[in-house]
Amino acid sequence: MKLLKLYSDNPDFKEIIFKPGLNIVAGLQLSSFAKDSYNGIGKSSSLSLLHLMFGGSFDDKSPSDVGFKSFLSSYGTMHLDFMVGSVPYIISKNFAESAYYLNNEKISKSAYPKKLRSLISACNTFDMNFKPLFNMFARRYLPGRNYYAGALTQQGQQPNDYYQMLYNLVLLGLDTSLITKNKKIAEDIRKLKNTEQVLNKQKVLINESDLLDLEEERDRLIEAKANFIIALNYDDLKHQADELTQEMAVYRNKIYTNEKDIRKRIMTLDASRDEAIDIAKITEIYKESEFHFPDKVAVRLKDAQDFHIRIQEARKDRLKDQISELRENNKYLQTKLANIEAMRDKILKDLDSKGALEEYNSIGERIRTLDADIAELTSYQTLLAKFEKDKAKLELDKATVKAESVKYLEEQKVKLKDVETKFRSFVKRFYTDHGGRLSVTNSKDAQYLYNIEPHIHKDGSQGVNEVKILCYDLLLFSLNPNALGFLAHDSCIFSGMDPRQKATMFKVVLEAVNQSGLQYFVNMNKDTYEQILGNEGLDEDDECVLNNNERAQIIHGTVLELYDADPKHTLFGRTFG
């Protein structure tokens, strides 16, 4: 894929005509204007626009995104020309609408990712949509996001994000079929745990002895029905119903008594007030009667006041605890009452007798009711047995995948060593005394199975993280030169870099441009741009000094110069935000 041109039907927009190799958008002036404007002059917006044209989204929770979206919605239609192989494409997007246009074909927002995926063969090769693939090779910058937090955060997610790690492992050349399988197992285990919670709740409501009692009662009734002992069984069922009715009355009385106690304690609690002994008032009364007591007496009065308050607080806490205990007890009693009511109602329904002849039918109805209750309890036991079987199988599958992943990584040692060597070759361009490392190891419990750790000596020092990001991104390009053939960075890649690191960065990038057909896009501020072109801060004999040909390529690759002294010289020809 090659980018050709970014432009708009709004004449204020500064079109960008991309070159096949190096492409730089440079901000060449600094004034107080930049400090007053949210967007500055539009350097970072140029890269953000590429993402948006390829289906990137706005974050409605981000004030900067909300402002940018509002601005673009009234700005006009944007266009992006690009090539895939020898086939030209034009994307048109009016941000006041949700739809996109590809070569004048209207495509809905929901269908757009699938359409882009069909254009880029690498999407099918790596089994990912175009948007995450583009993110892997074009790090945008957005306030509050993680794109430049580390080498592996190209998607702007936390370092342990599953899909972000999956995409990195794919582009490093690892087979991810075990990872996909492991994720499926993890999801099944999660669903099983949810089922376990439901079963545990149901188990609380089910008494195992109930099943035996029900089976005994059913067997007794079946025998009685076979012998046609109608009156005896009818009386037995009626006796059971009467006993249950009496039990219900006992529980209702207990609940009523508790409710009455709760109301009394609430009234007592509401009537309680912090009535402290007012020492000042007592002193005033004694003064009026021209009676004075020593200071020690006042101190004792203060102690009495504190003691009185503590007693009141303890009493209120005790009342609250009693109210809570009574309410919990009522919940339990109401649950028991509901169960007894249900049992009694079933028996009464079974009886439903109008005469001696129908007593026989009542026994039959009761048997059917018991059969239903037994089936319900039996189904729980069956489901529990299946749950235990499924759980054991998933745990075994998980252990098997883990073992296979360890074996697979062992088999990939030579390949991974070559990948690490390539990474180190990039790092050594910046640090002659060490080349860092790139390790891929088995993860303890992550769904993505493997951890990736790109490391450079003195990691965390000024500029080291940015160098690591650049080296890792170049590594992914070198391993997958035909994925997009494109790489992009925001100007924040230079933050913390010293002059030597910046110059080396362009030497390495230009080699990839000239030797591997890389199309590279970056935006830069005035200081960095002039520092690189002037080899500022470098000794003449330093190997990273850019030669005349390299500086000429940088100048030639400067596709757009933006100025902030006047709004018309910014990317959009006006300010916003």
Side-chain angles (χ1 to χ4, degrees):
M1 184 186 81
K2 291 292 183 184
L3 301 183
L4 301 177
K5 185 166 68 169
L6 178 65
Y7 55 104
S8 172
D9 60 7
N10 188 321
D12 292 339
F13 186 78
K14 307 302 180 295
E15 72 175 17
I16 302 175
I17 300 176
F18 295 96
K19 298 181 184 299
L22 179 65
N23 295 270
I24 298 172
V25 171
L28 299 182
Q29 285 188 354
L30 181 65
S31 71
S32 60
F33 174 81
K35 299 176 183 178
D36 298 332
S37 171
Y38 149 75
N39 187 50
I41 56 179
K43 300 189 309 298
S44 294
S45 296
S46 59
L47 180 53
S48 292
L49 276 174
L50 293 180
H51 280 270
L52 293 170
M53 296 300 286
F54 282 125
S57 58
F58 297 97
D59 183 355
D60 292 335
K61 295 180 181 179
S62 168
S64 60
D65 272 19
V66 171
F68 196 26
K69 180 180 180 180
S70 176
F71 173 77
L72 289 177
S73 295
S74 60
Y75 188 76
T77 302
M78 302 298 302
H79 306 278
L80 175 64
D81 296 0
F82 65 103
M83 298 272 291
V84 178
S86 59
V87 182
Y89 294 96
I90 301 175
I91 296 173
S92 299
K93 172 66 174 173
N94 186 319
F95 289 94
E97 305 171 0
S98 61
Y100 294 79
Y101 288 83
L102 182 65
N103 288 354
N104 293 322
E105 176 190 354
K106 185 177 182 179
I107 304 171
S108 68
K109 183 179 180 180
S110 59
Y112 192 54
K114 185 177 180 180
K115 184 65 176 181
L116 288 177
R117 177 168 179 152
S118 69
L119 303 182
I120 308 297
S121 60
C123 290
N124 295 323
T125 302
F126 300 130
D127 191 23
M128 68 175 80
N129 286 332
F130 181 81
K131 182 180 175 182
L133 180 64
F134 191 68
N135 285 343
M136 295 300 290
F137 293 99
R139 288 183 192 251
R140 66 196 298 195
Y141 171 79
L142 290 174
R145 311 293 177 83
N146 296 321
Y147 296 104
Y148 287 86
L152 307 176
T153 57
Q154 305 97 324
Q155 305 297 326
Q157 303 299 322
Q158 293 299 318
N160 60 350
D161 179 77
Y162 170 80
Y163 286 104
Q164 187 170 251
M165 286 296 296
L166 179 68
Y167 300 147
N168 276 288
L169 290 165
V170 167
L171 292 176
L172 286 176
L174 292 177
D175 183 355
T176 57
S177 57
L178 283 176
I179 298 174
T180 304
K181 187 176 181 180
N182 189 60
K183 186 175 189 296
K184 176 65 167 58
I185 292 172
E187 289 174 346
D188 289 343
I189 290 176
R190 178 183 57 78
K191 292 176 182 177
L192 210 60
K193 286 181 178 179
N194 292 337
T195 303
E196 184 177 26
Q197 291 177 356
V198 174
L199 289 175
N200 287 337
K201 290 179 181 178
Q202 188 175 356
K203 188 174 183 180
V204 173
L205 302 175
I206 293 175
N207 188 337
E208 295 295 336
S209 64
D210 290 348
L211 179 60
L212 298 175
D213 293 338
L214 291 172
E215 288 176 338
E216 286 182 1
E217 183 182 357
R218 180 190 62 181
D219 293 343
R220 189 174 67 252
L221 287 173
I222 289 173
E223 183 180 357
K225 184 181 178 186
N227 295 325
F228 202 51
I229 306 175
I230 298 173
L232 178 62
N233 287 279
Y234 181 86
D235 291 339
D236 183 55
L237 289 175
K238 187 174 184 302
H239 180 67
Q240 288 185 43
D242 291 339
E243 285 185 339
L244 291 174
T245 301
Q246 290 174 5
E247 282 188 54
M248 288 164 54
V250 171
Y251 278 107
R252 286 187 177 122
N253 287 337
K254 289 180 180 179
I255 291 171
Y256 173 78
T257 301
N258 285 347
E259 287 292 343
K260 189 165 67 173
D261 287 347
I262 289 171
R263 287 194 296 272
K264 286 171 62 178
R265 282 166 172 75
I266 290 174
M267 289 175 64
T268 303
L269 185 62
D270 291 340
S272 299
R273 299 191 302 271
D274 295 332
E275 296 179 352
I277 299 172
D278 193 337
I279 298 173
K281 189 173 181 180
I282 293 173
T283 303
E284 183 64 27
I285 292 171
Y286 273 79
K287 280 183 180 180
E288 289 176 2
S289 61
E290 297 184 353
F291 181 88
H292 298 277
F293 46 78
D295 293 339
K296 290 183 178 180
V297 174
V299 171
R300 293 181 64 187
L301 282 173
K302 180 62 171 65
D303 292 339
Q305 180 189 43
D306 294 340
F307 178 71
H308 177 70
I309 292 173
R310 287 196 298 273
I311 289 176
Q312 280 193 322
E313 291 299 324
R315 184 185 182 204
K316 285 193 284 186
D317 290 340
R318 186 170 64 256
L319 285 169
K320 290 177 182 177
D321 291 341
Q322 291 171 349
I323 292 169
S324 178
E325 184 176 347
L326 286 168
R327 283 174 172 165
E328 285 299 318
N329 184 244
N330 266 7
K331 287 182 181 178
Y332 170 77
L333 293 173
Q334 286 165 351
T335 300
K336 294 289 289 183
L337 176 61
N339 291 336
I340 294 171
E341 285 177 338
M343 291 170 62
R344 198 230 9 210
D345 291 343
K346 285 182 179 179
I347 293 174
L348 291 177
K349 182 179 179 182
D350 291 339
L351 289 171
D352 191 27
S353 63
K354 297 180 182 177
L357 183 60
E358 296 189 3
E359 293 175 7
Y360 179 80
N361 295 330
S362 296
I363 296 172
E365 286 295 326
R366 179 59 180 165
I367 291 173
R368 282 190 287 275
T369 300
L370 291 171
D371 283 337
D373 291 343
I374 291 169
E376 182 179 351
L377 291 175
T378 304
S379 68
Y380 163 76
Q381 292 183 331
T382 303
L383 186 61
L384 185 63
K386 184 178 184 302
F387 165 79
E388 294 295 342
K389 182 180 178 181
D390 291 345
K391 182 180 180 182
K393 182 180 182 303
L394 286 173
E395 292 295 343
L396 180 61
D397 290 345
K398 182 179 179 181
T400 301
V401 168
K402 185 67 176 177
E404 290 177 357
S405 69
V406 173
K407 179 183 177 183
Y408 172 74
L409 209 58
E410 186 68 23
E411 294 170 348
Q412 300 301 309
K413 270 189 172 181
V414 174
K415 180 179 181 178
L416 291 174
K417 189 64 179 176
D418 290 341
V419 172
E420 183 180 48
T421 299
K422 187 167 289 190
F423 175 73
R424 284 172 54 83
S425 70
F426 287 120
V427 176
K428 285 180 179 179
R429 298 293 299 274
F430 293 85
Y431 307 101
T432 55
D433 56 336
H434 56 82
R437 71 171 187 272
L438 179 68
S439 60
V440 180
T441 57
N442 288 286
S443 173
K444 184 178 179 180
D445 52 13
Q447 288 185 16
Y448 42 78
L449 290 176
Y450 311 112
N451 290 324
I452 307 169
E453 186 185 1
H455 176 77
I456 298 178
H457 184 59
K458 295 183 180 179
D459 213 346
S461 301
Q462 186 178 20
V464 175
N465 183 59
E466 287 72 24
V467 169
K468 181 170 64 175
I469 288 173
L470 176 71
C471 292
Y472 185 76
D473 289 354
L474 286 168
L475 170 69
L476 293 188
F477 167 76
S478 66
L479 294 173
N480 309 277
N482 297 320
L484 290 180
F486 178 80
L487 201 59
H489 290 112
D490 184 79
S491 59
C492 67
I493 190 72
F494 301 105
S495 62
M497 282 190 182
D498 58 35
R500 188 179 186 281
Q501 291 167 334
K502 293 176 184 177
T504 303
M505 170 182 168
F506 270 91
K507 276 188 172 290
V508 175
V509 166
L510 286 173
E511 286 178 10
V513 167
N514 297 330
Q515 298 173 15
S516 303
L518 169 67
Q519 184 179 39
Y520 185 71
F521 178 67
V522 67
N523 55 73
M524 305 167 63
N525 61 33
K526 172 181 178 291
D527 292 341
T528 300
Y529 188 74
E530 293 180 351
Q531 190 177 65
I532 289 171
L533 286 179
N535 282 319
E536 295 177 10
L538 301 176
D539 296 330
E540 292 183 2
D541 58 347
D542 197 318
E543 63 180 13
C544 67
V545 170
L546 295 168
N547 59 41
N548 291 336
N549 183 53
E550 290 166 334
R551 291 201 300 274
Q553 274 192 270
I554 291 172
I555 294 171
H556 178 72
T558 305
V559 293
L560 183 63
E561 297 177 353
L562 300 173
Y563 302 88
D564 60 1
D566 190 322
K568 68 181 181 180
H569 297 308
T570 62
L571 180 65
F572 295 101
R574 64 183 75 167
T575 60
F576 67 92

